[in-house]
Amino acid sequence: MKKYKIFFWVFLIWNVIFIFILLYFVFVSNQNDNIPVNPILSNIPAQDTFDFKNYLTSADSENVANKFPYKAYLKTERYKDPAALKNDLDGLDMIFPMNKESGDNLSAMFNAITDTLFLNKKEKLTQYQPDDLIKILQWGEALKYGAVYDSNNKLFFNAVSDYWLNLLSQKLNEFSKKTPDLKYAYKFRYMKSRLEEGSYIIASVVTPLEKIGLNINQNKWGHLFQASWNQTSSIQKIGFIIFILLTAFCYIYVFFSLIIKKKMKNT
Amino acid sequence: MIKRTVYFLFSIILLAQNTYSQYGNGYVNMQTDHINGDKLTLLNLSGKGSRIKVKYFAYKDGGTSVYQRFLNWKIGKNIICYSSGAYIDFCDAIIAKPAAFCIDNGNVINNVLAADLDGLIIIYPTGNMQAYSIKEAAIDIVYKEGTRKKINIKNALEKQFFIEWAKKTGATVFQTHLLCYKNQLAVSAVSKKTSNRRFIVSGKDGNGNARQIIINSLSQLTLFDATSNVINYLKTSSLLSDISFIFNLDPGCQDVYRVYNSDGKICTLSGFNGSYQIEKAANLIVYYYE
């Protein structure tokens, strides 16, 4: 009776632990799979224009690229909203109407929200932080819509979008080279498929073991043998040949021993 | 009567020539050689009269595979050879996509400009081909109305101009390893990965005639060693006095290569055939005679 009681308690404790483990995994997987909210829905009043007049005078017209208030402008995060971005471009054109034709205003704004902004984010982008990367993806996609709504600045919006989506694709490629298993992570796959929709393709990094599986699956036996043979050192090749010879010798020995035994039995 | 007979016979000879001859004599030359223990096979194509042209199939078109696209296109064409082209993202032709920047007949297939591939190859609808180093920031594009523009494709704004130009002209573009550019070695010795290699070389021979050579390096060498061997060979054999560019093709997971003799029969010489059938090609570069 005592023995049954012990079994009962052991099984009960085991069941409770099992439920907790299960709940933990459900909790963790739910947390990891949350896609961050689109930053475009932030509370930036799109109808306003950044006050360039506080930083630029008409005398800066010929030197707008150097005089542009990069730090102050990026701090407002107005660039996150394509509508605000459009207003700011128009605002800059109103101050320097001559630069509109030459494209100097557009160039300065482009530098601000591409190379300068990248320098601010560079440190953050050295490590795989999926939530930050997804925000870049969403912004890059939103800018594409900016190109549709503002046909006058289509090239600008497409170029900024391309800059960030291209950078994001390169970064994801880098991260997956370092950690090939990333390709199985939900958020990585989410970004990969969204990028592919916009024709930004991220090459799959395949480990040597996965390569063997793929070749077997595709019946590429010849390629598998050739590739394995080519990539092994001379010592490995010699070891392989010795192994094959030894195995063959064992089989032949066993085979002939059986035949001899059978013959002896018969005689 | 004699005149008529001669004319009739002459016509038959001409007709037979047109029916059976894939390409004219003197335009294509095949040779095999060795350098530093590496066996090279060379398909030397003459630029004389611009009769030899290039076509590139970068990706399947909707549901039509690259192989089927090739079959539809090749009707009435004199094929000299075909080979698998640029790198792909996955070693399975059915689902593989171009691994780096790629435009197929003006349609953008892959927008990602790979940071480690310096070669940008442009194939014009006219059948001409030109390679550029994206490091040099000076891709020369000519609009239909004749205006020219220098493009730095690494600049996202200028990249948009380039894409618009490719859409308008129907150009095909792909990115790959640029191994030699304007007579200068353009590949470093960093990668230790060894493999057999296939290169496309473009340049001028001693008489100033334009030539393109498809070279197979059959030994297991690094990209740097194979390129150095090929450059040494081209210089010592005086095949080319001026090398415009050498770029790399992908004989890895889609080793498709076939050469046709001038009579249209498949060349069976060793080193002039890939290990996979054309159906396995995820992309295809084709040389043809017109």
Side-chain angles (χ1 to χ4, degrees):
Chain A
M1 200 63 195
K2 208 177 175 185
K3 205 176 165 185
Y4 285 116
K5 254 190 176 176
I6 291 166
F7 273 128
F8 171 78
W9 283 109
V10 168
F11 289 153
L12 188 73
I13 290 164
W14 170 247
N15 283 346
V16 171
I17 289 171
F18 177 75
I19 286 165
F20 272 106
I21 290 170
L22 207 68
L23 282 173
Y24 168 78
F25 279 116
V26 169
F27 180 71
V28 166
S29 64
N30 269 346
Q31 276 217 325
N32 283 343
D33 293 352
N34 279 342
I35 301 297
V37 177
N38 192 331
I40 309 309
L41 303 175
S42 58
N43 295 323
I44 298 164
Q47 65 273 29
D48 291 349
T49 306
F50 179 77
D51 202 358
F52 285 111
K53 279 181 183 165
N54 278 346
Y55 304 91
L56 298 165
T57 63
S58 54
D60 298 326
S61 155
E62 284 180 15
N63 205 11
V64 67
N66 289 332
K67 299 282 181 179
F68 189 93
Y70 293 102
K71 207 174 170 184
Y73 183 72
L74 294 178
K75 207 176 168 185
T76 64
E77 296 197 331
R78 288 178 58 83
Y79 58 85
K80 285 184 175 177
D81 190 333
L85 204 52
K86 180 202 174 313
N87 284 355
D88 295 342
L89 257 178
D90 291 344
L92 202 59
D93 284 344
M94 276 172 76
I95 303 171
F96 305 124
M98 297 291 280
N99 287 355
K100 194 180 175 184
E101 281 296 305
S102 65
D104 286 356
N105 293 341
L106 194 131
S107 228
M109 189 68 104
F110 181 77
N111 284 339
I113 58 171
T114 54
D115 291 340
T116 314
L117 183 60
F118 171 65
L119 284 177
N120 291 354
K121 289 179 179 285
K122 201 175 177 181
E123 203 57 45
K124 253 187 167 184
L125 289 171
T126 52
Q127 283 179 341
Y128 179 69
Q129 288 168 338
D131 288 354
D132 290 340
L133 297 174
I134 287 171
K135 281 176 187 167
I136 292 174
L137 169 74
Q138 289 170 335
W139 180 47
E141 286 177 336
L143 287 164
K144 281 253 178 250
Y145 293 108
V148 176
Y149 290 118
D150 183 10
S151 56
N152 290 335
N153 295 309
K154 188 180 162 189
L155 180 90
F156 171 80
F157 280 109
N158 276 337
V160 181
S161 167
D162 180 62
Y163 180 94
W164 287 102
L165 295 183
N166 195 63
L167 187 95
L168 178 64
S169 308
Q170 288 175 349
K171 286 284 163 196
L172 288 180
N173 205 9
E174 260 175 49
F175 293 135
S176 77
K177 273 181 187 166
K178 278 183 200 162
T179 321
D181 279 353
L182 261 187
K183 61 177 174 282
Y184 302 116
Y186 175 74
K187 284 180 182 175
F188 185 90
R189 283 164 58 198
Y190 169 79
M191 284 187 273
K192 190 175 186 282
S193 57
R194 291 301 295 249
L195 283 165
E196 278 188 7
E197 262 185 49
S199 298
Y200 292 86
I201 295 161
I202 299 158
S204 302
V205 179
V206 183
T207 61
L209 199 66
E210 287 167 335
K211 258 185 197 170
I212 292 171
L214 275 170
N215 282 313
I216 291 169
N217 199 27
Q218 292 170 29
N219 284 326
K220 289 181 178 175
W221 295 100
H223 176 76
L224 186 65
F225 179 76
Q226 203 180 7
S228 311
W229 187 256
N230 291 337
Q231 281 165 28
T232 48
S233 65
S234 305
I235 296 166
Q236 284 171 317
K237 278 172 191 159
I238 291 165
F240 178 71
I241 291 167
I242 290 170
F243 173 76
I244 292 288
L245 288 175
L246 207 68
T247 313
F249 174 77
C250 291
Y251 271 106
I252 291 163
Y253 181 82
V254 171
F255 181 71
F256 280 105
S257 303
L258 283 171
I259 290 173
I260 290 162
K261 258 187 184 177
K262 215 175 184 184
K263 269 187 179 175
M264 279 176 80
K265 254 188 184 178
N266 289 338
T267 52
Chain B
M1 185 65 188
I2 297 167
K3 260 187 182 176
R4 270 188 183 180
T5 316
V6 169
Y7 180 74
F8 178 71
L9 284 172
F10 188 68
S11 305
I12 285 179
I13 290 165
L14 270 181
L15 198 71
Q17 192 87 8
N18 281 337
T19 311
Y20 296 109
S21 180
Q22 285 279 116
Y23 49 83
N25 287 329
Y27 283 93
V28 180
N29 180 34
M30 288 170 229
Q31 66 187 87
T32 304
D33 221 326
H34 292 83
I35 184 161
N36 297 335
D38 183 17
K39 187 183 173 186
L40 303 178
T41 68
L42 297 94
L43 186 73
N44 195 336
L45 310 163
S46 166
K48 196 170 65 181
S50 303
R51 303 291 299 268
I52 296 178
K53 295 182 185 301
V54 190
K55 171 79 180 166
Y56 191 74
F57 299 93
Y59 188 53
K60 57 191 171 192
D61 186 7
T64 316
S65 69
V66 164
Y67 170 56
Q68 194 57 51
R69 280 183 69 192
F70 168 73
L71 288 183
N72 297 341
W73 168 85
K74 78 164 214 174
I75 298 164
K77 302 271 190 321
N78 300 309
I79 309 296
I80 297 169
C81 71
Y82 56 72
S83 166
S84 39
Y87 303 115
I88 47 178
D89 72 328
F90 196 72
C91 268
D92 185 353
I94 298 164
I95 52 169
K97 298 182 193 86
F101 187 67
C102 179
I103 298 174
D104 191 3
N105 286 337
N107 301 315
V108 179
I109 308 297
N110 189 354
N111 248 316
V112 181
L113 206 60
D116 54 345
L117 302 174
D118 289 337
L120 194 81
I121 320 301
I122 303 176
I123 293 161
Y124 302 91
T126 53
N128 296 323
M129 178 167 71
Q130 186 59 48
Y132 290 96
S133 167
I134 59 171
K135 272 185 187 168
E136 279 207 347
I139 297 165
D140 200 18
I141 59 170
V142 184
Y143 289 94
K144 276 181 179 169
E145 63 271 16
T147 49
R148 300 180 94 90
K149 195 174 172 70
K150 293 265 184 213
I151 295 279
N152 172 11
I153 201 159
K154 282 184 164 176
N155 178 300
L157 266 172
E158 294 190 31
K159 188 180 166 192
Q160 300 309 306
F161 285 122
F162 182 80
I163 291 172
E164 284 303 314
W165 167 82
K167 280 179 182 170
K168 279 180 189 159
T169 54
T172 295
V173 183
F174 64 91
Q175 211 186 345
T176 185
H177 272 121
L178 190 66
L179 309 170
C180 176
Y181 193 58
K182 294 178 182 171
N183 295 306
Q184 298 295 315
L185 189 71
V187 62
S188 68
V190 176
S191 173
K192 300 288 173 216
K193 197 182 166 194
T194 60
S195 176
N196 58 314
R197 309 282 173 187
R198 186 169 305 134
F199 302 150
I200 288 190
V201 183
S202 181
K204 284 181 179 164
D205 62 16
N207 299 322
N209 297 319
R211 291 202 162 268
Q212 286 198 4
I213 311 173
I214 302 175
I215 301 181
N216 268 313
S217 156
L218 300 177
S219 304
Q220 296 296 314
L221 295 173
T222 63
L223 206 49
F224 179 82
D225 288 341
T227 309
S228 304
N229 274 350
V230 164
I231 293 172
N232 281 342
Y233 178 77
L234 292 170
K235 281 181 181 167
T236 51
S237 65
S238 305
L239 267 179
L240 293 179
S241 57
D242 177 53
I243 303 171
S244 305
F245 57 80
I246 302 178
F247 67 81
N248 193 34
L249 295 177
D250 178 21
C253 48
Q254 49 155 357
D255 180 18
V256 175
Y257 186 45
R258 177 154 284 178
V259 179
Y260 290 89
N261 295 323
S262 61
D263 59 2
K265 287 179 182 160
I266 294 166
C267 172
T268 51
L269 290 172
S270 163
F272 288 92
N273 278 294
S275 45
Y276 295 141
Q277 294 298 310
I278 187 171
E279 291 90 332
K280 294 275 181 193
N283 49 37
L284 212 59
I285 187 163
V286 186
Y287 278 87
Y288 63 103
Y289 178 85
E290 204 169 68

